[in-house]
Amino acid sequence: MITDRIAVDIKVPNQTRYLCLIGHIGENIARTLRHFGGDREKLAYDLNLVLTEAMANAIQHANEGDPTKEVHIEISIAEQRLIIKVFDFGQGFDVDQYIEPRPPLDEHGRGVYIIHTIMDKISYLPTDNGHVLEMVKNLQN
Amino acid sequence: MNLQIEDKGAAVLMEVQEERLDAHNSGDLKNQMLKLFEDGKTNLVVDLQAVRFVDSSGLGALVSGFKNASSRNGSLKLAGLQLQVKSMFELTRLHRVFEIFTDSSEALASFQQ
């Protein structure tokens, strides 16, 4: 069976003005897939959301808002598996602390919970010069 | 942020005229709400009809406004949520916190009862 094989590698400055660009790339990937039998518009929204949340976390928490730093994002699809990696170049943050839902009136800390509900697997690991948030979603129905 | 603000008497109507409410512009919404509270306004309707996408920081700004309005014995109500925006409120269980109306005229009318 022929499956979609896509790899996107992008680096943007550590600034929230680029969230829209990255989110739209996620949406467009969902709409472009040739072999996806599920709700395509939901997948488009979900990929926009996951990329926006992961990148905002990298900008604000890991890279501590430093506009001279970069965020590096890899999106790949092969064998019906979508893998998103968001690399930061900072001190990182404690992902496990944010996996459970927050109390409804908390103003912050929902991003990782949202990613966790959409993706099948997430991990946050150190690299040589920062961290990588790796998120995997199975696209098969 | 492109935001239209109009005092409707019983409440202030805030129309968010942006496709996205995210970590890039949610701070602006939060600040505009704070300004209204400082001016003595306590009842707000936030119309999200034009908003196609909201992230956790957009939700956080609305929660901040909700708490500020409640602490002043007022209320922040939402109107015009697109389907996928509404599912974000359900995913985070915030649909149990906010009063959500189909459109802004319904939300404004609820303040006049």
Side-chain angles (χ1 to χ4, degrees):
Chain A
M1 179 186 159
I2 301 166
T3 58
D4 293 284
R5 291 185 69 84
I6 297 172
V8 177
D9 192 326
I10 186 163
K11 284 179 185 159
V12 288
N14 191 54
Q15 297 165 29
T16 53
R17 59 181 290 111
Y18 297 99
L19 289 172
C20 177
L21 169 70
I22 302 300
H24 281 172
I25 291 172
E27 276 194 337
N28 286 333
I29 287 177
R31 295 196 178 116
T32 309
L33 290 179
R34 293 180 69 184
H35 302 278
F36 179 69
D39 182 341
R40 201 174 279 269
E41 280 311 300
K42 183 177 185 314
L43 181 67
Y45 192 95
D46 284 353
L47 295 192
N48 187 348
L49 186 57
V50 164
L51 284 160
T52 300
E53 296 292 353
M55 189 173 152
N57 268 332
I59 292 171
Q60 292 166 336
H61 303 302
N63 285 348
E64 294 162 326
D66 180 348
T68 63
K69 287 185 175 165
E70 255 184 356
V71 182
H72 175 194
I73 294 155
E74 285 178 13
I75 307 166
S76 66
I77 296 172
E79 311 298 333
Q80 299 288 83
R81 261 163 68 91
L82 164 75
I83 302 173
I84 299 173
K85 293 180 186 177
V86 176
F87 296 84
D88 62 63
F89 303 95
Q91 296 300 310
F93 65 102
D94 180 8
V95 169
D96 291 340
Q97 181 189 335
Y98 296 103
I99 279 181
E100 295 302 316
R102 311 298 290 177
L105 292 180
D106 272 17
E107 289 174 39
H108 302 283
R110 288 189 177 85
V112 172
Y113 165 72
I114 288 170
I115 294 170
H116 189 67
T117 60
I118 292 170
M119 303 301 278
D120 295 319
K121 195 178 145 198
I122 74 171
S123 59
Y124 189 64
L125 301 168
T127 60
D128 288 346
N129 48 7
H131 295 81
V132 57
L133 179 63
E134 184 171 322
M135 300 156 281
V136 181
K137 186 173 178 65
N138 190 343
L139 297 177
Q140 261 168 342
N141 282 329
Chain B
M1 150 171 278
N2 204 346
L3 190 64
Q4 194 146 330
I5 300 174
E6 200 180 338
D7 194 339
K8 295 281 193 181
V12 175
L13 174 62
M14 304 180 85
E15 286 177 1
V16 180
Q17 292 171 341
E18 295 279 349
E19 188 193 307
R20 287 170 65 95
L21 179 57
D22 65 12
H24 186 55
N25 58 12
S26 59
D28 292 347
L29 175 63
K30 195 172 157 177
N31 289 339
Q32 288 291 336
M33 289 191 292
L34 280 175
K35 217 179 267 179
L36 290 171
F37 294 131
E38 281 162 11
D39 288 347
K41 309 293 179 194
T42 54
N43 290 329
L44 305 185
V45 171
V46 181
D47 188 341
L48 296 174
Q49 197 183 350
V51 177
R52 196 174 67 77
F53 176 88
V54 63
D55 74 354
S56 64
S57 90
L59 295 175
L62 294 168
V63 168
S64 159
F66 176 86
K67 289 198 293 192
N68 266 305
S70 304
S71 71
R72 291 166 167 82
N73 295 319
S75 183
L76 183 153
K77 302 182 183 186
L78 301 176
L81 272 59
Q82 294 192 21
L83 206 62
Q84 286 178 316
V85 169
K86 200 170 182 185
S87 12
M88 279 295 287
F89 283 81
E90 286 159 7
L91 175 70
T92 52
R93 299 169 198 175
L94 284 172
H95 62 302
R96 296 179 192 163
V97 170
F98 289 97
E99 271 190 77
I100 298 173
F101 294 84
T102 312
D103 56 43
S104 57
S105 52
E106 267 188 32
L108 287 166
S110 75
F111 279 108
Q112 282 155 349
Q113 284 162 6

